Amino acid sequence: MPTFTTSDGTEIYYTDWGTGKPVVLSHGWPLSSDAWAVESKLLADAGYRAIAHDRRGHGRSTNTDRGHDMDTYARDLAELIEHLDLTDLVVIGHSTGGGEVVRYAAQHGTGRVRKVVTAGAVPPIMVRSEANPEGTPIEAFDGIRAGVLADRSQFYKDLAVPFYGFNREGAAVSQGLIDDFQRQGMLAGLAAAYECVKVFSETDFTEDLKALDVPILLAHGSDDQIVPIAAAAEKSIGLVSDGTLKVYEGAPHGIAGEYQKALIADILAFIAD
């Protein structure tokens, strides 16, 4: 299986499918590159080279308790991209991965990145404060940390329900998606899963968004219960210089079903030359 070792000795697993212009995909918490499998396959089928990595401490990458901060995540991504010598690049990120690709593009991607796509992404900042009254209270993130410590296997199964909007009336519940969310979550090391909560909730991406000098597509479900749109994409669009906000009516946080089909079509249209 393809792996790359970062400058601090962390082994990063990645998939590399197809040929053509490169597209790099960054997953959300607590998942892995498996979360992008369908998109990677369809991107490869459409003539792109689709690369998706497991963040440090997640999936099949090194189960380390070190480096769980957004600067390190973005540096890992930069080192992987430099190792593969990728240029004329599109970066795509979901949730935490959306923050990762925004920071990467802003701080490392000059001369390499041509477009950015985020879906249900955490920027500008998730946690509530006086400056961000639309944000999520810190108590919610404390609850996530407590759930990870107490019984993360059951916690992930429970979290998958609002993640995919299965708690909404009339939702077509997929036990398979719930089970796979748990499976991917359990591949993440406990330290990584715990520490990453602070990373995705408290990192401020305001200056990264302002610094972006390439087009960005900000995709977000209107019924995202995990990263509510009012504190996320609706704020980010006002901070970027060349942004397109695409709202998917009634769509949840998790990318699946009709939302997934629509998002893939919009991504392919946005990244086409």
Side-chain angles (χ1 to χ4, degrees):
M1 65 183 186
T3 61
F4 162 74
T5 302
T6 68
S7 56
D8 72 351
T10 302
E11 190 173 63
I12 301 295
Y13 169 89
Y14 64 96
T15 59
D16 189 348
W17 298 350
T19 58
K21 288 187 176 181
V23 179
V24 173
L25 303 104
S26 294
H27 62 82
W29 177 93
L31 304 174
S32 71
S33 58
D34 289 354
W36 283 122
V38 172
E39 291 80 1
S40 294
K41 170 71 166 58
L42 295 178
L43 283 163
D45 290 348
Y48 294 95
R49 180 183 178 188
I51 298 152
H53 69 295
D54 292 355
R55 188 171 298 116
R56 64 169 54 214
H58 296 68
R60 289 140 291 200
S61 292
T62 300
N63 183 1
T64 180
D65 65 346
R66 296 175 298 158
H68 293 292
D69 58 84
M70 192 52 69
D71 286 341
T72 302
Y73 293 166
R75 187 191 70 202
D76 289 346
L77 183 57
E79 291 184 1
L80 173 62
I81 288 168
E82 290 163 10
H83 171 71
L84 296 174
D85 194 23
L86 304 178
T87 57
D88 204 16
L89 170 69
V90 173
V91 288
I92 301 176
H94 174 238
S95 196
T96 303
E100 182 177 283
V101 299
V102 164
R103 177 146 298 181
Y104 163 75
Q107 299 190 13
H108 303 277
T110 301
R112 290 186 184 269
V113 174
R114 65 183 181 93
K115 290 183 179 179
V116 178
V117 179
T118 66
V122 297
I125 184 169
M126 281 195 73
V127 71
R128 180 179 295 173
S129 66
E130 289 186 9
N132 187 39
E134 300 87 0
T136 302
I138 189 68
E139 290 79 10
F141 303 113
D142 290 340
I144 294 173
R145 282 183 278 259
V148 167
L149 283 180
D151 182 356
R152 70 187 192 279
S153 182
Q154 185 60 49
F155 178 74
Y156 292 146
K157 282 201 169 188
D158 294 341
L159 180 61
V161 175
F163 188 94
Y164 289 109
F166 293 154
N167 56 341
R168 297 310 198 201
E169 184 176 356
V173 178
S174 168
Q175 188 61 47
L177 275 176
I178 294 172
D179 292 346
D180 194 52
F181 186 94
Q182 182 209 35
R183 178 191 68 83
Q184 290 186 58
M186 291 303 292
L187 288 173
L190 177 59
Y194 186 93
E195 298 300 335
C196 191
V197 177
K198 181 179 178 68
V199 180
F200 72 65
S201 63
E202 297 183 40
T203 301
D204 190 342
F205 298 94
T206 300
E207 296 306 314
D208 301 300
L209 291 164
K210 290 179 179 179
L212 286 180
D213 59 0
V214 296
I216 180 171
L217 173 64
L218 299 159
H220 217 108
S222 69
D223 193 32
D224 190 325
Q225 300 172 67
I226 308 301
V227 182
I229 191 173
E234 288 182 353
K235 284 194 166 184
S236 292
I237 192 64
L239 296 170
V240 297
S241 61
D242 188 1
T244 300
L245 174 61
K246 176 70 176 184
V247 180
Y248 297 81
E249 190 61 36
H253 188 62
I255 302 171
E258 294 304 312
Y259 173 33
Q260 184 177 49
K261 293 177 185 177
L263 179 61
I264 292 170
D266 289 338
I267 288 173
L268 288 172
F270 179 73
I271 69 175
D273 293 329

